[in-house]
Amino acid sequence: MENSDITNDSNDINFIIFMKREILQQICDILDTDNTWETIAPYMPGIQLRDVEGCKRYASYNKSPTMLLLRVWCAKGYTATHLYQLFAKTKLIRLMRIMKSEVDEKYHELEFKVLNPPRKTKRNVQPPGSQSASRLKKTESKDASPAPTQSTSSTTNDPLRIAIEGTLPVTYFELLEATNGFSASNVIGKGGYGTVYKGEMKATGGMVAVKRILAGNDSSAHGSKVEKERLRQSLTELRTLARFRHDNILPIYAYSLEGPEPCLVYQFMANGSLEDRLLCRKGTAPLTWIQRKEISIGAARGLLFLHSFAKTPIIHGDVKTANILLDKHMEPKLGDFGLCRDGQAEVEAAEKCPLIASHIKGTLAYLAPEFITSKILTTKLDVYSYGIVLLEIASGQRAYSDTRETRGLVEYCLVTKELAEHRNVRLREILIDKRAPPLANEAEESFLETLIDVGLAGALNDRKLRPTMAQIVEYLCKNVVPNGQQ
């Protein structure tokens, strides 16, 4: 079940590509005429000669070079406000008036300043020719960014800029080539966010996974909000993964925001998702108990890192078997950080109020009850979700199933536990994944019991009774039962 909640409009950045379509089209029509766009490109910080040449090639296919130029500039972190200031700087009053409604009123005074310049002015710098790479770069360093004034500078743009600066940009055309035109035969995953493709980057010869964020065709206000939310989630993931590296966190290799859809490029995970392997999809062999132990400990360490590496813990928000990916060595890596957010650790102090989320997001079968009912957001949200993951690893059952009498996995395990007590047999004998190889020794038997006990402890309704991720890692490594469990 995929989430489609919409972020608050007040938090949206005024991306150029989300301007009203008729306004954006008017701007492109004007700047495309006589290649007028080439006269403003030198004044656009971050735009390089190769970008200009790419726009020219784009025009040769009867496409709008201005549209591509604006997409590329947007991908570098520039907004509609920057564009308005750029038009002021280049004295394109007509374009300023066309897009006036897209920027805050406090910038409207720029039009008056352009029409009524002060008597003493600095010598105007003539725009350099677009054919000269060295002159273009000189202008970039000399001219300050047409950035908003200091009152609006860092709050909306810095997170995106930081993420982009730390990650390799690739062109949309490179990804088209890598995935054979986003061929259906290269699809390795689908979801509400879009589609993931297997690809090969020609420059490096390496295999990658390309997440292509679904582009909306709905031009309505709702469709625009959905498209904004998809882009917001992709930027959240890009920003988060650019902040850190860990053996159990899926590394992001590159990004592309200039094409029709934003794309994120990751390490290719040869063994797919934990969900795929537990269900033995495509005829894969069942996971051994040694593999299950290593996967459960590795994924737990990834979550512990998120919760503890910084002063403010990062809450993944969508922990599930589909988002735990396995490389060619079966090493687990947490993926899909589109719903992650800064949060707070669970505290015992009653006077400290828990953080409340603005929206309920995630996959319902894995969401903790306090998050669904009260939007309480702490690290225990991930603990609850991971508890269900551990129960899936132990039992091979889905987190939610319409064909099961007790559809939720936690409820199914509790009913099974009562049945085991009634029959006077061990819970593991009934709950064990029937696809898995037989338990080979006492160590494997003990670990299966730990999986079940820790899974149930993690998925307790009372969040304050759940263990922390640090405790979960310790329990799994030492094969010990949490306090309060049998």
Side-chain angles (χ1 to χ4, degrees):
M1 178 177 178
E2 298 294 336
N3 169 72
S4 60
D5 280 328
I6 308 303
T7 188
N8 291 332
D9 290 344
S10 61
N11 294 327
D12 285 345
I13 299 173
N14 59 336
F15 289 111
I16 294 171
I17 59 174
F18 288 138
M19 290 166 56
K20 290 186 177 66
R21 298 189 182 187
E22 59 271 20
I23 292 177
L24 194 55
Q25 188 61 56
Q26 286 185 63
I27 292 173
C28 290
D29 289 343
I30 292 171
L31 291 178
D32 284 345
T33 303
D34 296 326
N35 293 323
T36 305
W37 63 271
E38 290 188 46
T39 67
I40 68 168
Y43 292 112
M44 302 171 78
I47 294 297
Q48 300 178 7
L49 181 61
R50 66 181 182 183
D51 299 318
V52 174
E53 294 301 323
C55 291
K56 291 179 179 178
R57 291 196 300 272
Y58 197 65
S60 68
Y61 293 100
N62 294 320
K63 301 288 188 179
S64 168
T66 303
M67 183 65 78
L68 179 58
L69 179 68
L70 294 180
R71 282 185 175 274
V72 171
W73 207 42
C74 179
K76 297 177 186 293
Y78 293 90
T79 67
T81 302
H82 291 111
L83 184 62
Y84 187 75
Q85 293 176 314
L86 173 69
F87 291 154
K89 186 173 187 177
T90 52
K91 298 180 172 58
L92 295 173
I93 300 296
R94 181 184 176 190
L95 295 180
M96 291 179 70
R97 289 172 176 171
I98 288 174
M99 66 168 297
K100 195 172 183 178
S101 63
E102 298 294 310
V103 298
D104 193 286
E105 290 183 1
K106 62 187 173 186
Y107 296 108
H108 292 175
E109 65 179 14
L110 288 176
E111 182 181 334
F112 176 81
K113 290 182 179 180
V114 173
L115 293 173
N116 301 276
R119 291 183 179 181
K120 293 183 179 181
T121 59
K122 293 182 180 179
R123 180 175 58 87
N124 289 331
V125 180
Q126 295 299 318
S130 59
Q131 299 294 326
S132 172
S134 61
R135 293 173 69 190
L136 183 61
K137 290 181 180 178
K138 183 178 179 181
T139 303
E140 289 173 8
S141 61
K142 184 174 182 179
D143 289 328
S145 162
T149 57
Q150 290 184 358
S151 62
T152 63
S153 59
S154 62
T155 55
T156 57
N157 300 304
D158 284 354
L160 177 57
R161 297 271 188 87
I162 291 170
I164 287 176
E165 288 171 3
T167 310
L168 177 69
V170 295
T171 68
Y172 188 76
F173 299 107
E174 286 180 272
L175 299 183
L176 276 173
E177 186 178 30
T179 59
N180 193 25
F182 292 110
S183 170
S185 62
N186 283 23
V187 172
I188 55 178
K190 288 186 178 181
Y193 53 80
T195 306
V196 180
Y197 299 81
K198 178 180 179 181
E200 182 177 3
M201 300 299 290
K202 297 296 176 65
T204 61
M207 300 304 299
V208 294
V210 181
K211 181 191 288 187
R212 186 188 189 194
I213 309 301
L214 186 66
N217 296 319
D218 186 354
S219 59
S220 67
H222 175 71
S224 176
K225 286 186 176 182
V226 171
E227 191 172 353
K228 284 184 181 182
E229 173 63 8
R230 289 178 182 133
L231 180 57
R232 187 200 66 77
Q233 288 191 19
S234 67
L235 294 178
T236 297
E237 183 161 12
L238 173 58
R239 184 168 63 247
T240 302
L241 294 182
R243 289 171 61 184
F244 50 77
R245 295 288 185 269
H246 186 272
D247 287 345
N248 299 114
I249 301 293
L250 181 66
I252 188 165
Y253 285 168
Y255 72 94
S256 172
L257 300 179
E258 68 181 45
E261 311 92 9
C263 297
L264 303 180
V265 184
Y266 308 87
Q267 173 185 347
F268 176 67
M269 304 298 281
N271 279 301
S273 69
L274 176 57
E275 178 184 60
D276 292 338
R277 295 308 306 266
L278 287 174
L279 298 176
C280 300
R281 286 176 175 154
K282 297 183 179 179
T284 54
L287 294 170
T288 67
W289 289 105
I290 292 176
Q291 289 173 328
R292 292 172 198 241
K293 181 173 184 177
E294 292 175 347
I295 291 169
S296 63
I297 292 174
R301 282 175 171 156
L303 280 172
L304 173 58
F305 175 75
L306 290 180
H307 291 180
S308 60
F309 87 101
K311 182 177 180 180
T312 301
I314 289 180
I315 298 171
H316 186 285
D318 200 17
V319 177
K320 56 183 177 181
T321 52
N323 287 340
I324 297 173
L325 306 175
L326 306 171
D327 67 12
K328 62 182 179 181
H329 302 298
M330 302 299 287
E331 181 79 13
K333 298 182 188 294
L334 293 173
D336 202 339
F337 285 76
L339 298 184
C340 77
R341 46 199 141 182
D342 292 344
Q344 68 181 37
E346 182 59 65
V347 291
E348 295 181 1
E351 66 273 10
K352 186 166 182 178
C353 297
L355 187 65
I356 304 299
S358 60
H359 290 84
I360 296 174
K361 299 181 178 183
T363 305
L364 189 58
Y366 293 86
L367 292 181
E370 75 275 4
F371 188 64
I372 295 173
T373 59
S374 304
K375 301 179 185 175
I376 293 175
L377 182 65
T378 72
T379 49
K380 294 298 181 72
L381 170 62
D382 285 344
V383 169
Y384 183 91
S385 302
Y386 196 65
I388 293 178
V389 168
L390 294 180
L391 294 177
E392 289 183 85
I393 295 173
S395 67
Q397 297 280 337
R398 304 296 300 273
Y400 181 90
S401 175
D402 286 323
T403 60
R404 231 173 19 222
E405 187 173 345
T406 45
R407 297 180 178 182
L409 182 55
V410 176
E411 293 74 16
Y412 170 79
C413 291
L414 293 175
V415 169
T416 305
K417 185 175 183 178
E418 292 180 2
L419 178 62
E421 292 172 352
H422 178 72
R423 293 182 179 178
N424 197 26
V425 298
R426 292 183 179 274
L427 176 58
R428 71 165 191 255
E429 295 176 12
I430 304 178
L431 203 57
I432 185 172
D433 184 354
K434 305 304 186 292
R435 300 186 189 92
L439 297 169
N441 48 50
E442 289 185 6
E444 292 187 357
E445 292 174 358
S446 175
F447 181 70
L448 174 55
E449 291 182 351
T450 299
L451 273 181
I452 297 170
D453 290 336
V454 176
L456 288 173
L460 286 170
N461 282 337
D462 187 341
R463 70 181 193 276
K464 293 182 180 179
L465 296 180
R466 297 173 204 152
T468 64
M469 285 310 305
Q471 290 173 319
I472 288 178
V473 171
E474 181 181 3
Y475 296 150
L476 295 175
C477 289
K478 296 182 178 180
N479 273 12
V480 296
V481 177
N483 292 334
Q485 302 294 312
Q486 65 175 23

